[in-house]
């Protein structure tokens, strides 16, 4: 990885979750999120990296989890994910080369084919894996997001020092 990643964009179902839909008799949708993914997002934010969610479905569970994780850019019910990504990049004044996108299905292909670091979880559909620069060992919803964030941070920082600074509450000076 030669470029510096400044934005990590995540799909939800099959990436932040296991891809299964849990809908109760009360018609409320439940989603299982992995706490290690949340810690990874927190670490990314600590370095100044930005995160975003762009998903085709709408769910109150996603809104609540994104709020907990302080994810600023949250777009749900989106068909044209690439247009939304362009709006986020314009706001952050970054290029496609500085974006990591994590998706698992064919609706993620338009973005995966354009970003600097296209990533898919191990349980992504086969054709989507063909377009990935990195396929996680973990499945979506089982720490795949944490895995890629750890990989990016290890490439861009002295990872062990970063963890020590994070735990000690030291302010990280991003260059």
């Amino acid at each position: 990885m030669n470029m510096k990643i400044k934005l990590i964009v995540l799909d939800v179902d099959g990436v932040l979750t296991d891809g299964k839909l849990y809908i109760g008799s009360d018609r409320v949708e439940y989603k299982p999120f992995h706490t290690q993914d949340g810690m990874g997002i927190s670490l990314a934010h600590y370095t100044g990296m930005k995160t975003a969610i762009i998903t085709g479905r709408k769910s109150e569970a996603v809104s609540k989890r994104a709020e907990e994780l302080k994810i600023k850019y949250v777009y749900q019910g989106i068909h044209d994910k690439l247009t939304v990504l362009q709006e986020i990049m314009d706001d952050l004044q970054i290029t496609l080369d500085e974006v990591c996108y994590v998706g698992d299905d064919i609706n993620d292909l338009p973005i995966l084919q354009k970003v600097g670091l296209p990533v898919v979880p191990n349980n992504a559909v086969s054709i989507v894996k063909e377009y990935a620069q990195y396929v996680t060992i973990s499945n979506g919803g089982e720490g795949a997001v944490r895995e890629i964030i750890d990989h990016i941070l290890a490439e861009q920082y002295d990872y062990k020092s970063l963890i020590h600074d994070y735990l000690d509450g030291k302010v990280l000076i991003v260059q």
Side-chain angles (χ1 to χ4, degrees):
M1 184 171 64
N2 296 333
M3 80 295 291
K4 182 171 174 124
I5 298 300
K6 295 182 179 177
L7 172 66
I8 299 173
V9 182
L10 307 167
D11 180 31
V12 174
D13 297 311
V15 172
L16 281 168
T17 74
D18 60 10
K20 297 174 186 163
L21 297 178
Y22 299 84
I23 302 173
S25 59
D26 55 1
R27 297 184 187 207
V28 173
E29 188 173 321
Y30 300 89
K31 293 187 182 288
F33 297 100
H34 201 294
T35 58
Q36 289 178 359
D37 289 342
M39 178 57 76
I41 290 167
S42 179
L43 284 168
H45 289 168
Y46 177 70
T47 68
M49 201 175 298
K50 305 299 181 195
T51 56
I53 289 174
I54 305 175
T55 180
R57 295 183 55 81
K58 290 182 180 180
S59 168
E60 187 59 32
V62 171
S63 298
K64 288 180 190 279
R65 185 64 174 147
E67 184 180 332
E68 286 176 355
L69 296 174
K70 297 176 177 56
I71 297 174
K72 178 180 177 183
Y73 301 97
V74 181
Y75 296 86
Q76 299 190 66
I78 303 300
H79 175 72
D80 182 1
K81 294 182 176 188
L82 196 53
T83 298
V84 171
L85 174 59
Q86 188 60 56
E87 291 173 15
I88 297 169
M89 290 183 342
D90 289 347
D91 186 52
L92 295 173
Q93 299 181 338
I94 63 171
T95 66
L96 283 165
D97 287 340
E98 298 169 305
V99 176
C100 169
Y101 182 82
V102 188
D104 71 310
D105 214 331
I106 59 172
N107 59 328
D108 298 306
L109 283 174
I111 292 181
L112 287 168
Q113 292 174 342
K114 297 205 182 278
V115 297
L117 183 57
V119 176
V120 299
N122 190 47
N123 60 322
V125 297
S126 296
I127 193 165
V128 177
K129 287 182 178 181
E130 294 176 22
Y131 295 91
Q133 185 175 325
Y134 186 98
V135 178
T136 63
I137 295 167
S138 304
N139 286 336
E142 297 177 6
V145 171
R146 174 63 178 276
E147 182 182 329
I148 190 56
I149 290 173
D150 282 351
H151 175 76
I152 292 167
L153 294 177
E155 288 281 325
Q156 295 184 179
Y157 298 93
D158 176 341
Y159 188 73
K160 286 187 178 180
S161 293
L162 173 68
I163 299 303
H164 287 292
D165 290 349
Y166 177 85
L167 293 173
D168 290 342
K170 292 181 183 171
V171 175
L172 182 68
I173 299 172
V174 181
Q175 299 179 12

